Amino acid sequence: MDRTVVLITGCSSGIGLHLALRLASDPSRRFKVYATLRDLRAQGPLREAAQSRGCPPGSLEMLQLDVRDADSVAAARARVTEGRVDVLVCNAGRGLLGPLEVQEAGAVGSVLDVNVAGTVRTLQAFLPDMKRRRSGRVLVTGSMGGLMGLPFNAVYCASKFAIEGLCESLAVLLPPFGVHVSLIECGPVRTAFQEKLEGGPGGALDGADAETRDLFSRYQRHLERIFHEAAQDPEEVTEVFLAALRSPRPALRYFSTERFLPLVRMRLTDPSGRSYVAAMHRAVFAEEPADESAADLGGPALGPPPAALQ
Ligand SMILES: NC(=O)c1ccc[n+]([C@@H]2O[C@H](COP(=O)([O-])OP(=O)(O)OC[C@H]3O[C@@H](n4cnc5c(N)ncnc54)[C@H](OP(=O)(O)O)[C@@H]3O)[C@@H](O)[C@H]2O)c1
């Protein structure tokens, strides 16, 4: 039986690396995985992990693919010896943290290029063949930051909101072609993401006013708490990719955790945005939350909005 050919972007670390390993070492041996990396010099961790996991020979191949470069995407596609990709995983992504007004144009452009234009480039390279063959699965690593705005993540959220529109539009169009698009919506995941932020870890603050710096400190404390309480291991998240991959009728969205669904629902049930903005502001910035749930991103209590927002 032909193996399922999977190509994944962004496999030097994190979710991409673990998904490549999980599929290549699947006991069914039904996957041939093309794990792609922006820079092949970063293949060490994946190669070593594949060895220690005992991935069978021929189950995993590494290719260079920089999503910012259409030629690099085309070259990777040409090196898929089976001549087809059954499952495309658009996973490459980069974050940007800090007040919007201090972000350098280059950093903003780079994050949009990787997260949005890079995903578009990858899809443009692989979708035509899937449509022609009338078969294919596309899995895209989504984020809570694509479903709700998060302070100090404006550009990252803009990029991930764009991915939502991109995928939803394609998901409506493609079923007659036998092609299905699914977003794997991740909450916080323990990966190198925070260290690999555009502009370096910690986020840009140079030139920000004192009040914004203070809010940023509170945001960082909030982020630490959320990671401490709710971060998932990439292994847990890769199982959600597998569930999407195995589904005979894939949904548009799969959630790696249910923790943030109350906020997702809140945005839908109050389209004015008042409830969400008030709840998120309180959850992130309240010095001493009135109660536990107000501090909890996953279950904010809706009290009167903070004065600043009334
Ligand atoms: N970690 C989280 O909390 C979290 C939450 C929600 C969603 N996500 C999403 O999950 C995805 C994977 O992130 P991660 O958490 O696994 O973090 P990660 O370990 O930093 O992985 C990101 C991957 O994307 C790659 N990448 C960056 N720029 C690229 C480019 N131009 N071309 C090709 N690959 C590129 C990185 O490669 P290099 O090492 O070469 O830069 C790296 O392999 C991202 O789309 C991210 O937005 C993460």
Side-chain angles (χ1 to χ4, degrees), residues 141 160 228 262:
T141 312
K160 289 295 189 183
H228 177 70

Side-chain angles (χ1 to χ4, degrees), residues 82-304:
E82 291 78 4
R84 66 171 205 287
V85 167
D86 302 305
V87 180
L88 171 69
V89 183
C90 296
N91 167 73
R94 212 174 261 303
L96 182 64
L97 189 62
L100 183 69
E101 62 274 21
V102 308
Q103 302 295 355
E104 290 181 6
V108 172
S110 173
V111 167
L112 296 176
D113 194 16
V114 173
N115 296 5
V116 185
T119 306
V120 170
R121 266 180 218 110
T122 310
L123 288 164
Q124 284 178 325
F126 290 96
L127 273 184
D129 182 57
M130 287 183 171
K131 288 173 78 178
R132 220 170 7 253
R133 290 188 298 105
R134 305 195 87 75
S135 170
R137 294 279 173 105
V138 178
L139 305 180
V140 179
T141 312
S143 169
M144 290 303 131
L147 298 169
M148 59 188 82
L150 304 170
F152 296 113
N153 283 274
V155 174
Y156 178 69
C157 288
S159 76
K160 289 295 189 183
F161 268 64
I163 291 301
E164 295 288 321
L166 179 69
C167 292
E168 193 165 289
S169 302
L170 292 171
V172 173
L173 171 70
L174 293 173
F177 294 93
V179 179
H180 298 277
V181 179
S182 298
L183 283 149
I184 314 302
E185 311 286 13
C186 300
V189 188
R190 288 182 204 94
T191 66
F193 189 76
Q194 299 294 338
E195 289 102 75
K196 291 186 182 179
L197 291 171
E198 189 71 41
L205 261 189
D206 283 354
D209 62 87
E211 193 174 348
T212 303
R213 283 169 176 272
D214 174 54
L215 290 169
F216 189 66
S217 306
R218 289 195 227 173
Y219 168 77
Q220 284 179 311
R221 287 197 290 278
H222 168 82
L223 190 64
E224 269 170 36
R225 189 171 63 235
I226 290 297
F227 259 83
H228 177 70
E229 290 171 7
Q232 294 176 291
D233 287 323
E235 289 87 350
E236 196 180 333
V237 172
T238 57
E239 294 307 317
V240 185
F241 282 78
L242 258 91
L245 213 162
R246 287 182 179 136
S247 168
R249 290 180 54 244
L252 172 58
R253 293 190 181 87
Y254 292 83
F255 292 85
S256 73
T257 169
E258 296 198 344
R259 183 178 167 113
F260 304 100
L261 287 179
L263 286 164
V264 173
R265 291 198 188 97
M266 182 189 290
R267 289 186 77 256
L268 296 175
T269 52
D270 178 4
S272 80
R274 279 182 202 282
S275 305
Y276 172 74
V277 168
M280 181 55 83
H281 186 92
R282 188 192 329 277
V284 177
F285 296 123
E287 285 283 26
E288 288 182 44
D291 59 52
E292 268 301 296
S293 54
D296 178 350
L297 239 180
L302 274 186

Side-chain angles (χ1 to χ4, degrees), residues 1 19 51 73 139 165 206 294 298 307:
M1 200 184 90
L19 182 60
Q51 259 169 12
V73 180
L139 305 180
D206 283 354

